[in-house]
Amino acid sequence: MNAKYSGRCLCGEISYSVDIEPVFTGNCHCKDCQRSSGGAFIPAMLFPEKNVLVSGAVKYYASQADSGNIHKRGFCPNCGSQLFARFGHMPGVLGIKAGTLDDASNYVPTMNFHVSSAAPWDCMNPELPKKQGTAQS
């Protein structure tokens, strides 16, 4: 049986699958996401961590967000692909980077957030709501 959402890192050492819908989807334009991804934003999907099946040894890097919360980014120690995120203020939630999905058409963002930090060359979908700060604000 195929999972609703599945994906992997570039080398295939780490893979994941989830059989439920995400609790949130959106594009984060904060400076940390820009720096860590090397792109204009990170397309993120949030799931209850207990529902995500991960295969392989993920390494996490912790940093402090502008909010003061600890943000841990999970990546493959072999190829460096960034796959996951854990948020200090949201225990039990796992973020998945939509660019790692096997079928990228499964990602449907609901908003852009932290747009006050967006790169000037970023082209956002005009149909999506835009929040200056966090998705919860």
Side-chain angles (χ1 to χ4, degrees):
M1 180 166 116
N2 291 334
K4 283 187 179 212
Y5 298 92
S6 63
R8 60 186 169 85
C9 65
L10 184 61
C11 72
E13 189 171 306
I14 298 173
S15 61
Y16 62 85
S17 62
V18 190
D19 285 325
I20 63 167
E21 292 299 320
V23 296
F24 173 80
T25 62
N27 301 322
C28 184
H29 297 265
C30 78
K31 291 304 282 182
D32 284 348
C33 284
Q34 291 174 35
R35 284 188 183 103
S36 69
S37 71
F41 62 90
I42 283 185
M45 306 174 2
L46 301 183
F47 295 92
E49 188 165 8
K50 67 182 180 185
N51 295 102
V52 182
L53 177 63
V54 177
S55 174
V58 180
K59 184 170 182 172
Y60 282 87
Y61 175 78
S63 62
Q64 188 172 19
D66 288 342
S67 64
N69 294 317
I70 298 299
H71 188 122
K72 296 179 181 177
R73 289 175 173 80
F75 61 95
C76 173
N78 187 50
C79 67
S81 295
Q82 195 181 146
L83 298 139
F84 307 114
R86 289 183 175 146
F87 311 95
H89 67 292
M90 295 178 4
V93 172
L94 187 67
I96 293 179
K97 315 300 180 174
T100 65
L101 287 167
D102 291 328
D103 182 357
S105 69
N106 285 340
Y107 175 66
V108 181
T110 59
M111 73 169 57
N112 288 292
F113 56 102
H114 284 296
V115 298
S116 61
S117 303
W121 42 265
D122 187 0
C123 296
M124 291 181 230
N125 179 343
E127 295 176 17
L128 289 179
K130 293 173 182 61
K131 295 211 173 185
Q132 295 298 311
T134 67
Q136 298 91 358
S137 61

